[in-house]
Amino acid sequence: MSSADPTASSGSVVHSWFEGGTRRGSTDLGGDALAQHATSLGDGTLDVFAVGTNGTAYRKHFDGTSWSRWGSVGGTFTSGLSASADPAAGVIVLS
């Protein structure tokens, strides 16, 4: 299981992973986020979405081996965001 840590200092996005309920490590994904949410299609990948200080949504993807760079997914958010995955359809919905 993994999570994005909303309490990370200075608004950065931190990915922490756990095994058997024990925290096994953390990686600072960078960025300056006002809100963040992570989801997975269950295939060993992870998608992290964050709202930047400019209100734009960004995505960072983990392919099972390495992380992509942050990329804009557009839109303007004035509050938090949510991401949901449908593994059967291979679709991630961001709202």
Side-chain angles (χ1 to χ4, degrees):
M1 180 198 292
S2 58
S3 64
D5 183 355
T7 62
S9 64
S10 72
S12 66
V13 179
V14 176
H15 168 248
S16 298
W17 58 95
F18 299 81
E19 291 178 20
T22 302
R23 184 176 176 167
R24 296 295 182 186
S26 295
T27 300
D28 187 342
L29 300 179
D32 192 8
L34 300 175
Q36 56 195 298
H37 199 265
T39 191
S40 175
L41 290 171
D43 57 359
T45 65
L46 185 66
D47 287 281
V48 176
F49 297 91
V51 176
T53 56
N54 61 358
T56 300
Y58 295 89
R59 172 183 175 250
K60 191 166 188 118
H61 177 75
F62 180 72
D63 64 10
T65 304
S66 61
W67 287 96
S68 70
R69 294 178 181 242
W70 285 105
S72 174
V73 295
T76 302
F77 288 79
T78 57
S79 62
L81 53 80
S82 179
S84 179
D86 181 349
V91 174
I92 295 175
V93 176
L94 181 63
S95 61

